[in-house]
């Protein structure tokens, strides 16, 4: 029989990192807290961490997202 | 409110919850984040990784007929299996899988409305165990290339103004301000868009909960950009996966008769020597 779990505390919120909108999606599954950071437009996952606490997961996801976003260059199109 | 042109290709979470043990149904998770499945997935679902299982890993191409047959056989899928696809990012890569399955003629493929996000948000059951199914000997049909646009067709359409080009990337990619989505590697030499294209980001087709917008809302969205049944439509993005989502919306939800996915997309066009490129905002609707 396949063991199943239920996700709890699912939530999303949007923050800004270095001028880029970032969506944080957090939830608990089993005894782990998951936090994923995506880049809103287009919605691609930048980072996802699964940690014993919600704070740890979010902190790591934000840190990795910040690192990746710092590499994106804006060009002058005028 | 009008119904989708093909309502049978979209299922809701409640329907799927009642089909988890139905042997005629195979549930497949296809994510942008290819390891999300391991954290918890719909019980009974298998996973396909878009980077290795839904693309040719040597040359740039979709799966060959033989590779698709091998994947479906390994997944225990038969030609009469109902395949339910779902994934993260509002089914972005699930739609990429849907498009390829239709290219190779699988009859009954559907998307879970709202995808992985809605399933998790509703606190439905998930499993961290990967099931295995008895292998089959799947035989695919020859590819239906009327669903796919190649570079010469797009060049011809641009020259003759013969199609509505829908660029489904984010506005900053469309204008050329950035070469790739924020935080992702730059994979083209020039920024901008194909001349005459309209910018309708793929995500505008979805509600906040990840479900598709209504027929009327979708019709209003695309009509405002000159997309209609009166002209062929070519959707493109950066590498062809976001545009498969829009292709799905235009073809199956709105019922446009002639829609193709240009999977070469901006990473092909934006790297071509001498190709015309427009930068900045789109000029006018219906071009």
């Amino acid at each position: 029989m396949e063991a199943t779990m239920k996700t709890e505390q699912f939530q999303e919120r949007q923050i800004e990192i270095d001028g880029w909108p970032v969506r944080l999606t957090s939830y608990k599954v089993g005894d782990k807290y998951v936090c994923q950071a995506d880049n809103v437009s287009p919605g691609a996952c930048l980072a996802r961490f699964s940690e014993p606490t919600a704070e740890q997961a979010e902190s790591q996801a934000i840190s990795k997202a910040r690192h990746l976003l710092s590499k994106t260059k804006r060009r002058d199109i005028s | 409110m009008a119904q989708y042109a093909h309502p049978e290709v979209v299922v809701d979470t409640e329907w799927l919850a009642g089909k988890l043990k139905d042997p005629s149904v195979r549930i497949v998770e296809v994510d942008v984040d290819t390891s999300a499945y391991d954290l918890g997935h719909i019980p009974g679902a298998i996973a396909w990784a878009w980077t290795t299982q839904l693309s040719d890993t040597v040359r740039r191409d979709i799966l060959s007929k033989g590779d698709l047959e091998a994947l479906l056989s390994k997944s225990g899928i038969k030609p009469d299996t109902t395949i339910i696809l779902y994934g993260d990012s509002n089914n972005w890569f699930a739609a990429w899988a849907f498009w390829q399955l239709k290219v190779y003629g699988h009859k009954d493929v559907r998307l879970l409305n709202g995808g992985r996000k809605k399933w998790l948000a509703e606190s439905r059951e998930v499993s961290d165990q990967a099931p295995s199914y008895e292998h089959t000997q799947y035989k695919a049909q020859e590819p239906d290339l009327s669903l796919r646009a190649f570079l010469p067709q797009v060049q011809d359409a641009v020259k003759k103004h013969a199609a509505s080009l829908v660029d489904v990337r984010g506005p900053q990619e469309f204008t050329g301000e950035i070469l790739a989505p924020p935080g992702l590697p730059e994979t083209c030499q020039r920024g901008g868009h194909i001349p005459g294209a309209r910018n309708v980001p793929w995500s505008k087709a979805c509600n906040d909960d990840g479900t598709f917008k209504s027929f009327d809302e979708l019709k209003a969205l695309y009509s405002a950009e000159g997309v209609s049944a009166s002209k062929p439509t070519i959707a493109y993005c950066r590498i062809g996966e976001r545009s498969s989502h829009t292709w799905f919306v235009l073809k199956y939800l709105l019922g446009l008769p002639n829609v193709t996915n240009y999977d070469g997309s901006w990473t092909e066009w934006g790297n071509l020597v001498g190709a015309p490129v427009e930068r900045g905002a789109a000029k006018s609707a219906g071009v």
Side-chain angles (χ1 to χ4, degrees):
Chain A
M1 188 71 179
E2 188 176 8
T4 60
M5 311 167 278
K6 285 194 175 183
T7 50
E8 302 169 69
Q9 301 169 34
F10 184 94
Q11 56 180 301
E12 290 182 316
R13 68 187 174 96
Q14 194 165 308
I15 61 170
E16 198 172 284
I17 299 178
D18 296 340
W20 299 108
V22 172
R23 182 188 297 113
L24 296 176
T25 303
S26 309
Y27 57 92
K28 182 175 186 244
V29 59
D31 58 357
K32 295 279 187 186
Y33 289 84
V34 179
C35 182
Q36 175 177 316
D38 73 48
N39 57 9
V40 182
S41 175
C45 176
L46 297 172
R48 179 181 41 72
F49 286 87
S50 167
E51 298 292 341
T53 71
E55 292 73 23
Q56 285 173 316
E58 182 171 306
S59 165
Q60 295 209 50
I62 290 173
S63 175
K64 186 172 175 193
R66 186 183 305 281
H67 171 71
L68 289 171
L69 289 167
S70 69
K71 296 179 178 175
T72 298
K73 296 176 203 154
R74 287 187 166 96
R75 288 165 169 75
D76 181 9
I77 53 168
S78 56
Chain B
M1 186 183 285
Q3 255 205 339
Y4 295 137
H6 297 280
E8 72 280 4
V9 298
V10 178
V11 302
D12 62 31
T13 50
E14 191 62 33
W15 180 92
L16 187 57
K19 295 283 183 186
L20 299 183
K21 292 181 179 163
D22 185 336
S24 69
V25 171
R26 181 71 68 250
I27 308 167
V28 185
E29 178 163 335
V30 190
D31 294 316
V32 178
D33 171 12
T34 53
S35 59
Y37 171 88
D38 299 330
L39 282 172
H41 49 265
I42 297 177
I46 56 171
W48 290 343
W50 70 272
T51 48
T52 54
Q53 291 177 292
L54 291 172
S55 305
D56 187 309
T57 54
V58 178
R59 67 177 191 180
R60 184 176 175 196
D61 211 339
I62 62 172
L63 287 179
S64 67
K65 181 168 173 273
D67 286 343
L68 182 98
E69 288 173 340
L71 177 65
L72 297 191
S73 298
K74 189 176 132 191
S75 305
I77 290 171
K78 300 174 188 169
D80 63 352
T81 301
T82 298
I83 303 177
I84 308 296
L85 298 163
Y86 77 100
D88 60 4
S89 293
N90 299 350
N91 286 323
W92 173 355
F93 273 95
W96 168 251
F98 185 104
W99 173 65
Q100 290 197 50
L101 287 166
K102 285 300 182 189
V103 165
Y104 287 108
H106 191 85
K107 197 174 169 192
D108 191 359
V109 195
R110 311 180 196 186
L111 288 183
L112 173 64
N113 205 6
R116 179 179 167 89
K117 169 177 162 173
K118 191 158 193 288
W119 189 272
L120 296 181
E122 291 175 350
S123 289
R124 294 184 180 274
E125 285 187 319
V126 295
S127 168
D128 58 4
Q129 294 169 34
S132 63
Y133 295 100
E134 192 176 335
H135 291 198
T136 60
Q137 297 290 322
Y138 190 95
K139 292 290 174 203
Q141 295 177 26
E142 291 304 315
D144 177 359
L145 297 180
S146 72
L147 306 181
R148 190 179 188 193
F150 292 92
L151 178 63
Q153 292 163 259
V154 182
Q155 289 171 316
D156 193 52
V158 170
K159 198 172 162 186
K160 296 175 181 167
H161 301 288
S164 298
L165 285 163
V166 182
D167 185 321
V168 316
R169 298 174 298 161
Q172 290 163 309
E173 293 173 270
F174 181 83
T175 60
E177 184 184 347
I178 56 177
L179 296 186
L184 299 185
E186 294 177 345
T187 47
C188 57
Q189 292 294 313
R190 292 291 182 270
H193 54 267
I194 299 175
R198 306 295 303 168
N199 185 211
V200 189
W202 71 283
S203 55
K204 285 196 170 182
C206 296
N207 296 306
D208 287 344
D209 68 355
T211 56
F212 290 108
K213 286 183 177 168
S214 70
F215 178 90
D216 294 334
E217 289 171 313
L218 293 172
K219 190 165 185 204
L221 173 68
Y222 291 101
S223 297
E225 298 296 340
V227 177
S228 73
S230 65
K231 209 172 183 183
T233 302
I234 301 170
Y236 76 93
C237 56
R238 185 176 70 123
I239 57 174
E241 18 56 278
R242 279 177 278 174
S243 48
S244 56
H245 188 277
T246 297
W247 170 86
F248 173 86
V249 169
L250 295 174
K251 185 168 184 66
Y252 286 94
L253 303 188
L254 288 182
L256 299 193
N258 188 346
V259 190
T260 49
N261 181 22
Y262 171 37
D263 58 304
S265 279
W266 190 252
T267 49
E268 181 170 63
W269 193 279
N271 281 321
L272 286 176
V273 174
V277 170
E278 268 180 12
R279 289 202 305 187
K283 285 179 181 163
S284 61
V287 176

